[in-house]
Amino acid sequence: MSWDGKTRGNLFGHQIFVFALNSLGLWFAYFILLFVALYFFLFVRRSRKSVFYFFHSRLGYSVLSAYWATYINFFKFGQNLIDKFAIMSGGKSKYSTTHKGGEYLDEMTKNGTGGVLMSGHVGNFEVGGQLLERLGGKINVIMQDEDHEKIKKYVESKSKKKSFNIIAIKEDLSHVINIKNALTNNEFICVHGDRFIEGAETIEIDFLGKKAKFPKGPFVIATRFGAPVTFNFVIKTGMRSYQFSATEPKLYRHKLDECMKDYVSKLEEVVRSNPHQWFNHYDFWA
């Protein structure tokens, strides 16, 4: 079963975390998260089964270690959500970021080329979008437009002005024009390459020792417009610290297979190094 395009959670749950964060601080929000993560571990069978399979069958963890890693994965996912709220509501100065390969993005900004920043659902790239405003160039994040409207409106009401623009994927394909215009104007496009919804065109490729489906769309974007492409990931390294990494930019015009191969290779490297922070909670190898 593929991802359904919706972010798990309900409005009341988001309200609890925002209240705890604003009233009692980050430590207390993380404390509440211990029990929320336990609830998801015990009662959200589909996600637990998928994450357990990832640790046990793909990474070779023992049964007990895989179950424990699954709980930690849920907890880390919650931490990333809380951090996103904290940073978007004005707490960015309380977080620190180290950069590995950040000079590549600085050079792309200085040269005015813009480009495609390809990431995945490992770490917290939404936080990275906030932290990347130091580049000075305009950043556009491509997102599925399937989240519940009540949650979206509540998050927006609690957030400061975003430092990036959102290009929502639409059925009428209007997002393609917006993407083309952004790259023509030498802006940055941020897109994930490791998740698709039912009906989307996919390509199978080896990932962690077994064939898995990857969406074709992000790689079409990366290779069609002749913009430089770099693979980026933002990994949580401490309570209030993240590391942003970027690979050297490369041109992949009309080289979709090569782009996908390079991306999947880098994604596998990052996931193996940070397995508790890969947040694809569905049967990725279905």
Side-chain angles (χ1 to χ4, degrees):
M1 183 176 292
S2 64
W3 178 56
D4 60 11
K6 295 183 179 180
T7 300
R8 183 171 294 280
N10 56 51
L11 179 59
F12 182 63
H14 284 73
Q15 290 172 328
I16 288 177
F17 281 126
V18 172
F19 171 78
L21 184 62
N22 292 338
S23 303
L24 301 167
L26 188 63
W27 274 110
F28 192 77
Y30 281 178
F31 175 73
I32 293 177
L33 177 61
L34 290 170
F35 304 98
V36 175
L38 181 61
Y39 169 84
F40 273 81
F41 176 79
L42 293 175
F43 298 109
V44 185
R45 182 177 179 274
R46 176 186 168 189
S47 293
R48 183 185 70 240
K49 182 179 178 181
S50 298
V51 178
F52 174 84
Y53 173 84
F54 162 63
F55 282 107
H56 181 54
S57 298
R58 301 274 48 89
L59 296 184
Y61 284 37
S62 68
V63 171
L64 289 178
S65 295
Y67 275 124
W68 175 245
T70 299
Y71 171 77
I72 297 299
N73 180 275
F74 289 163
F75 180 76
K76 292 285 188 180
F77 179 64
Q79 282 187 315
N80 277 265
L81 289 177
I82 292 172
D83 289 347
K84 180 183 73 173
F85 279 121
I87 290 175
M88 293 180 68
S89 60
K92 182 172 62 176
S93 62
K94 297 179 181 179
Y95 286 77
S96 63
T97 310
T98 57
H99 295 267
K100 184 179 180 181
E103 67 274 12
Y104 297 134
L105 273 66
D106 292 333
E107 184 176 348
M108 293 165 73
T109 303
K110 181 180 178 181
N111 294 338
T113 61
V116 178
L117 312 182
M118 289 199 70
S119 187
H121 291 83
V122 52
N124 198 339
F125 202 80
E126 286 192 16
V127 166
Q130 291 286 325
L131 299 174
L132 279 174
E133 68 174 356
R134 69 177 186 81
L135 292 174
K138 186 173 181 180
I139 298 172
N140 302 271
V141 179
I142 302 175
M143 291 185 178
Q144 293 288 343
D145 194 32
E146 299 292 336
D147 284 337
H148 298 295
E149 288 300 320
K150 287 184 178 180
I151 294 178
K152 288 171 66 178
K153 290 179 180 178
Y154 180 74
V155 171
E156 289 170 0
S157 71
K158 298 297 180 181
S159 302
K160 303 294 183 182
K161 184 178 179 180
K162 293 180 179 177
S163 60
F164 54 87
N165 176 56
I166 293 177
I167 297 179
I169 297 177
K170 302 287 188 179
E171 290 185 3
D172 62 5
L173 300 181
S174 59
H175 59 279
V176 176
I177 297 175
N178 293 330
I179 292 168
K180 180 180 179 181
N181 291 339
L183 291 175
T184 300
N185 293 329
N186 298 324
E187 299 173 5
F188 288 104
I189 292 291
C190 300
V191 61
H192 290 124
D194 64 342
R195 185 179 289 180
F196 65 93
I197 60 175
E198 194 68 37
E201 192 171 0
T202 61
I203 297 177
E204 280 195 339
I205 189 169
D206 284 327
F207 180 62
L208 294 175
K210 187 177 180 181
K211 292 285 186 182
K213 293 180 179 179
F214 285 81
K216 184 177 179 180
F219 300 95
V220 171
I221 292 171
T223 59
R224 176 170 293 176
F225 301 107
V229 179
T230 174
F231 307 135
N232 312 121
F233 300 94
V234 183
I235 302 298
K236 185 174 177 67
T237 56
M239 182 174 176
R240 294 183 185 271
S241 61
Y242 283 84
Q243 182 183 66
F244 177 91
S245 66
T247 62
E248 186 174 0
K250 185 175 179 179
L251 294 176
Y252 289 99
R253 192 171 184 90
H254 306 311
K255 297 179 180 179
L256 188 146
D257 290 343
E258 182 181 341
C259 181
M260 176 170 281
K261 182 179 178 181
D262 288 351
Y263 169 80
V264 172
S265 176
K266 184 62 180 180
L267 177 66
E268 182 168 321
E269 175 189 325
V270 174
V271 168
R272 285 189 181 277
S273 299
N274 306 277
H276 298 103
Q277 294 191 56
W278 192 51
F279 303 126
N280 271 329
H281 294 167
Y282 65 95
D283 189 356
F284 195 78
W285 290 268

